Amino acid sequence: MEKEVTAQEIDDIVNMLDSFIDRDVSRFKVTTSDSVAPGQVREVYHHGRCDVGSPWAKGCSFDVIE
């Protein structure tokens, strides 16, 4: 059964995307989840475009001279 999308829900998504642009966010990924309350937004920041899960992002880089 498909849920009918309201004009307000579309406006909410457009406003969310506009807020990213207003903050000069160059990349973002939008996902939906049943574990987040309706209307709630959760943001996760990472340290660059290629750093997610890397040793550098975790603070244990292997190629830095100590």
Side-chain angles (χ1 to χ4, degrees):
M1 175 158 92
E2 290 187 30
K3 178 186 175 226
E4 179 124 358
V5 178
T6 66
Q8 181 60 51
E9 289 172 320
I10 293 171
D11 288 342
D12 291 344
I13 291 171
V14 170
N15 289 335
M16 178 187 64
L17 297 174
D18 284 345
S19 74
F20 282 113
I21 293 168
D22 291 342
R23 292 184 289 146
D24 290 329
V25 175
S26 61
R27 290 182 142 193
F28 52 89
K29 177 180 179 181
V30 178
T31 58
T32 60
S33 173
D34 291 333
S35 66
V36 178
Q40 181 183 5
V41 175
R42 183 178 301 155
E43 291 186 36
V44 177
Y45 177 80
H46 65 86
H47 302 286
R49 295 188 168 124
C50 299
D51 260 356
V52 176
S54 73
W56 184 263
K58 294 177 181 178
C60 56
S61 61
F62 56 88
D63 59 350
V64 177
I65 299 172
E66 299 203 21

